[in-house]
Amino acid sequence: MAGAAAFPGPIGNPVTIATERYAAILGATPSKGARSPTLWNAAFKAAGIDAVMHPMDVTAADLPAVVAALKADPRFVGGAVAVPHKQALVGLLDRIEPEAQRIGAVNAIYRDGDALVGANTDGAGALSQIEELVGGAHALQTRRALVVGLGGAGLAMAAFLAGRVTELTVANRTRATADAVAAKLGAMAADFPVGADVLSKIDLVVNATTIGHKDGPAGSPIAEADLAVLPASAAVYDAIYQPDATPLLTMAAARGLQTRNGLGMNLDQAVIAFGKAVPGALGMDAVRAAMRAA
């Protein structure tokens, strides 16, 4: 076992490295309850690997120095990226996988020799959950989807839904961002908050904002009165999983709409990311089983 030593980078929470290898989740305040360490640590244990995932609270100003410290430490195998650093990391890593480059955001890091590589597993993790919610890939093709919020996760989900749904609309607090993403993906852009005129033509809503998160802004990204215009066959997917039922999902369920939170997405993206960071340690099914049990 490696000798214990404090992490040398400028992070906002105390971290001591005392294992042969380690992973990290970088975000604003992942030490306050990020689920990734629980999932990854269960997989490390199942694989018999002397490693731990550490949450690291990192400011935007300190992110380059933290990435440099991780790159310089061969014990670092990779990990996860939380808000608000998913887009900023694209320019700080040695290489970016094509899918992450297309999305313009990174939610996973892994080591390849001396290089740190960025990947995006958010979209793939969300897609499987959304397909299950609506009844499979074929059913998804008939949906008119709206993605609200175009941060790292929202970009990934919009990119994966583009071409897999009949029609895609994107909305963001900054309209210019929605316009740019829509042009890139062949989608339509809408104002935020999204009004009833747009929602009346939608039968799949995907929330990728932090509105309704236990540590985010209170409320719902869609007003209850506007939500009421969704057709009875509509489905509502919320990438948030803390709390289990956000105000958006609660209102949608009260209307009898199909709903699902982001817990499954969080699991699936972690399974994929772990496989990149520790290839061959465990089969995907074994990683998923270990993480699900956690």
Side-chain angles (χ1 to χ4, degrees), residues 10-12 25-30 56-64 66-67 80-93 96 104-109 119-120 122 151-153:
I11 60 176
I25 174 170
L26 309 180
T29 55
M56 295 187 178
D57 300 345
V58 187
T59 65
D62 288 336
L63 188 61
V66 171
V67 171
V81 185
V83 293
H85 303 317
K86 295 186 178 188
Q87 290 158 289
L89 268 169
V90 171
L92 296 176
L93 300 173
I96 306 297
V106 163
N107 80 312
I109 306 170
N120 195 304
D122 274 335

Side-chain angles (χ1 to χ4, degrees), residues 44 47 60 62 66 103 115 139 141 152 162 167 170 192 194 198 210 255 257:
F44 281 135
D62 288 336
V66 171
I103 294 167
Q141 292 172 2
E167 195 172 88
V170 295
F192 179 87
V194 182
V198 174
T210 59
R255 274 207 56 209
L257 306 182

Side-chain angles (χ1 to χ4, degrees), residues 137 184 284:
K184 182 178 180 180
M284 295 290 279

